[in-house]
Amino acid sequence: MDGTILLPLYPDKEGYLSYECPFCGSRFKLCIDEMINNNQNCTVSDLFCPICGLVAEKSMFISRELRNAAEDKAYNYMADKLNTEFGKLARVLNHKNGLIRMTVKPMINRPEKEVMETEEVETRISCKVCNRSVKLLDCAGVSIAFCPYCGVNI
Amino acid sequence: MSNLVEMQQRSLDFRRLSSNLLQSNMSNADVNLLRFARFIDDDPYIHDLLHSIIDGVDYDYKECFGLIHLSGWREIRIPVDESCHLKAQYDYIQFILSLKEDRVFREASQFLSKSGNTSDIIRSFLGRAFMPLISFITDAMSKEIINLQEHASLNVGNVYGNAIVQNGNGTVYATANVTAEATELVSRIDRILDQMNSVTGINQDELDSVKDDLESLKEQALSENPKPSRVKKVVAGIRRFGTEVLFRTAATLASNAISATDWSMLLSQADRFMTGLHM
């Protein structure tokens, strides 16, 4: 792949984006500002699930919607490239005196959806240790939550 | 209080180990399962927790994990009784570890998986087979942490005011009390100051500044007349250091030199100390 595919993110009004635990499937929101500052200044690359407390690489927590949107975008990028290249090949082969004829049925692009955050029933809690916050969706109770960044009980 | 820190650290260790197990691949699945099994056997709290439930339960793990479906794949049939389920998982781990090479994959490949990829087969199997055991232990530790926190907060007394005591002769004395809370705060500050000597990669000025704040807080905790404004200022400085420097710099610093739980306890003890002064 010769380029970078950019995927626009639309956080909620307070700048939070949804994540999904790869272990228990719980959904929660993290503040993009806190994530980006975190990325720039330290080597922390893991997140803890605030519900089950298990830890994995940050990329594992990408939400299903965002993952699907990224896959659709990548698929369309690939389809465009293939359509262009096979189109060129067909034009070369299909000249007047050619012995071989080539028909190209272009790949159809998938519809690209924008991942928009919705306002849901959510509880925002902050960690006293690292001072960063998390919004719990479908709230399972604040008393059993873990900080997604440092993993302590909050 | 040390039980609380110990429990929080145990919880972190267990969750890290469990996460590694659930994300295993062909090359490390056996090792991760062995480490997990050793941890739950060697850790006294988890050992006692599990054995208090599964000892004496008469249940064969094969009833849960050994059934073969009509399709030829093995299937997991979860028993209604949770203690039977926990015993089945514990015994199944022991059985897998008693096998020879590629122990986890050999078992995992007998269960139907959505993917043909070996890592996916292993992860799907481990998640379906042992996630309930992991959740049970994590929940039990969280409940214990809540209990310990509750207990710790109940032990806090508001004792930084002056108590007026009258003796038999009618003389009035004003006494200032230094409580166990202050003593614990001082010992935690000492521990963190010790740990700070092994911290690397943080700006020396920042480090000196927070050390000064910690020394000042210690001085105030030991003082007979701690000054609320001074305490408030140094606690703010310590909190800022944690947020802006310590846990923003590198994960290794937080985990190796100063643990997040130690820092958390320091802040909560300092908060309680401060609250006591205002009351």
Side-chain angles (χ1 to χ4, degrees), chain B residues 49-62:
Chain B
L49 171 76
L50 276 182
H51 286 272
S52 67
I53 294 168
I54 64 175
D55 285 357
V57 174
D58 185 21
Y59 186 78
D60 187 352
Y61 74 89
K62 288 176 189 160

Side-chain angles (χ1 to χ4, degrees), chain A residues 129 152, chain B residues 1-2 4-6 8-9 12 185 187-193 195 214 238 246-247 254-270:
Chain A
V129 178
V152 300
Chain B
M1 196 67 80
S2 63
L4 177 57
V5 176
E6 206 175 284
Q8 286 174 326
Q9 285 171 346
L12 269 174
L185 177 61
S187 66
R188 188 165 306 280
I189 291 171
D190 284 340
R191 189 155 80 231
I192 287 181
L193 281 170
Q195 291 169 345
L214 287 167
I238 294 167
L246 186 61
F247 293 103
S255 56
N256 294 343
I258 301 170
S259 76
T261 43
D262 258 351
W263 194 258
S264 160
M265 291 307 299
L266 171 75
L267 293 176
S268 59
Q269 281 175 334

Side-chain angles (χ1 to χ4, degrees), chain A residues 41-42 46 53 55 129 146 151, chain B residues 15-16 19 23 142 248-249 264:
Chain A
N41 294 297
C42 80
D46 294 346
V55 55
V129 178
F146 299 93
Chain B
R15 284 182 278 128
R16 173 70 72 176
S19 306
Q23 294 177 88
S142 291
R248 214 182 59 178
T249 309
S264 160

Side-chain angles (χ1 to χ4, degrees), chain A residues 104-153:
Chain A
V104 177
K105 189 178 173 188
M107 292 175 77
I108 299 166
N109 278 10
R110 291 179 185 173
E112 287 181 16
K113 290 177 197 161
E114 288 184 335
V115 182
M116 308 285 280
E117 287 299 332
T118 51
E119 302 296 326
E120 298 174 50
V121 180
E122 49 200 34
T123 311
R124 182 164 66 178
I125 47 177
S126 298
C127 174
K128 282 183 184 172
V129 178
C130 66
N131 221 13
R132 283 177 276 197
S133 56
V134 55
K135 279 183 179 178
L136 298 181
L137 310 177
D138 313 320
C139 189
V142 176
S143 60
I144 58 161
F146 299 93
C147 172
Y149 301 99
C150 56
V152 300
N153 289 73

Side-chain angles (χ1 to χ4, degrees), chain A residues 61-79:
Chain A
F61 283 86
I62 291 173
S63 70
R64 208 173 313 147
E65 293 83 5
L66 198 57
R67 196 178 291 275
N68 290 342
E71 278 177 7
D72 288 343
K73 197 112 178 161
Y75 177 91
N76 291 345
Y77 179 89
M78 177 203 69

Side-chain angles (χ1 to χ4, degrees), chain B residues 11-12 80 106 117 121 128 140 150 157 202 218 224 251 264:
Chain B
S11 168
L12 269 174
V80 177
R106 201 190 295 180
N117 179 301
I121 291 170
R128 282 158 57 206
E150 185 69 20
I202 289 183
K218 183 179 164 185
E224 287 191 353
S264 160

Side-chain angles (χ1 to χ4, degrees), chain A residues 22-52:
Chain A
F23 303 107
C24 66
S26 304
R27 293 172 63 80
F28 55 97
K29 285 182 177 179
L30 296 178
C31 180
I32 287 192
D33 278 349
E34 290 173 350
M35 292 287 285
I36 290 171
N37 290 337
N38 189 27
N39 287 343
Q40 284 173 343
N41 294 297
C42 80
T43 55
V44 175
S45 58
D46 294 346
L47 283 179
F48 290 83
C49 169
I51 304 299
C52 70

